[in-house]
Amino acid sequence: MSGTGAAAPHAEDLEPEQTEGFKVGEKKTLEEYQQLDQNDESLRKWKESLGLGSGNTLPADPNDKRTVIILSLGLEVDGRPDIVIDLTKPGSLEDLNKHPFTIKEGATFRMKARFRVQHGILSGLKYVQVVSRMGVKSKMQEMIGSYSPNTTDKPEYEKKFEPETAPSGMLGRGHYEAVSQFVDDDKTSHLQFKWSFDIKKDW
């Protein structure tokens, strides 16, 4: 992954940060979740937040064992067309690694992900990213959340990340290498990929 002078992230760099005192809850099947006490208002709202009880669950692909399928990654910048990478196309991750994004210095942007959930409840999905430049690494983590399998009412999910501001000035401009991972509470890695971007004076 490393470019000129870049320090390649190690596997432990992409480990999600843990909240002190947090314990992963006991896993339940979809049927068990559906049968939890309907008279508990807070529990009902929690189940709704997962998408339970809204539409019919879409059938899972028996040939695809993944719990979460990342459909696309996008970059939103005010006043510019979105850049969207369709991850359902063969070779898309390889192309992403070969073709850096260009971001104008000081620009405010945010990433977004479209994804589908199947086979069971997805618990505590997080996006972890390590960016390297000139031997210096920085890490960010974005909580995406917990989701039930997609339904006819909600055939896919979209998560927009918190806005970021690109570095600026002579020291901020240049080429950056990144490694990203989607990982859940069980530390199951659902997708890991390399990419890069260039910070320039203009688009």
Side-chain angles (χ1 to χ4, degrees):
M1 183 218 71
S2 58
T4 305
H10 300 288
E12 60 269 20
D13 291 335
L14 286 169
E15 282 285 319
E17 295 167 6
Q18 298 297 316
T19 302
E20 189 173 342
F22 173 78
K23 292 184 180 179
V24 177
E26 179 187 354
K27 284 198 173 297
K28 290 180 168 58
T29 65
L30 276 176
E31 290 75 16
E32 288 172 326
Y33 277 115
Q34 292 282 15
Q35 291 167 11
L36 288 174
D37 190 356
Q38 290 290 327
N39 297 321
D40 186 326
E41 182 67 13
S42 61
L43 187 56
R44 185 184 63 78
K45 288 182 177 178
W46 175 75
K47 286 166 62 177
E48 284 180 358
S49 75
L50 288 177
L52 291 168
S54 175
N56 297 316
T57 301
L58 293 176
D61 182 348
N63 299 314
D64 190 337
K65 301 304 181 187
R66 292 176 294 174
T67 304
V68 58
I69 302 165
I70 311 298
L71 301 171
S72 71
L73 295 169
L75 191 70
E76 283 188 351
V77 183
D78 285 342
R80 295 187 62 81
D82 294 351
I83 301 170
V84 178
I85 308 299
D86 182 356
L87 298 184
T88 64
K89 290 183 178 178
S92 55
L93 286 178
E94 291 78 6
D95 287 343
L96 180 61
N97 190 27
K98 292 175 186 174
H99 302 102
F101 289 108
T102 295
I103 302 173
K104 181 181 177 180
E105 62 178 350
T108 298
F109 64 94
R110 69 175 172 186
M111 292 180 61
K112 61 182 177 181
R114 284 175 47 249
F115 57 97
R116 189 165 61 242
V117 177
Q118 61 177 8
H119 297 303
I121 297 290
L122 174 65
S123 178
L125 185 66
K126 304 170 187 70
Y127 172 82
V128 184
Q129 169 184 294
V130 176
V131 175
S132 305
R133 180 175 182 248
M134 306 284 288
V136 177
K137 293 185 287 189
S138 62
K139 178 179 178 179
M140 65 83 77
Q141 177 173 304
E142 179 93 18
M143 172 56 81
I144 298 176
S146 299
Y147 297 85
S148 67
N150 287 99
T151 66
T152 50
D153 288 350
K154 191 75 174 176
E156 62 183 43
Y157 297 112
E158 181 179 71
K159 170 69 176 181
K160 295 188 177 186
F161 297 177
E162 288 297 314
E164 299 180 63
T165 302
S168 58
M170 188 173 65
L171 294 177
R173 293 192 293 270
H175 183 70
Y176 294 76
E177 299 277 346
V179 176
S180 298
Q181 178 175 232
F182 288 88
V183 59
D184 65 21
D185 278 343
D186 292 327
K187 296 187 178 180
T188 300
S189 177
H190 296 282
L191 180 68
Q192 183 174 321
F193 58 96
K194 300 176 184 178
W195 58 291
S196 61
F197 58 95
D198 296 318
I199 303 295
K200 296 186 176 182
K201 276 190 172 183
D202 211 335
W203 299 101

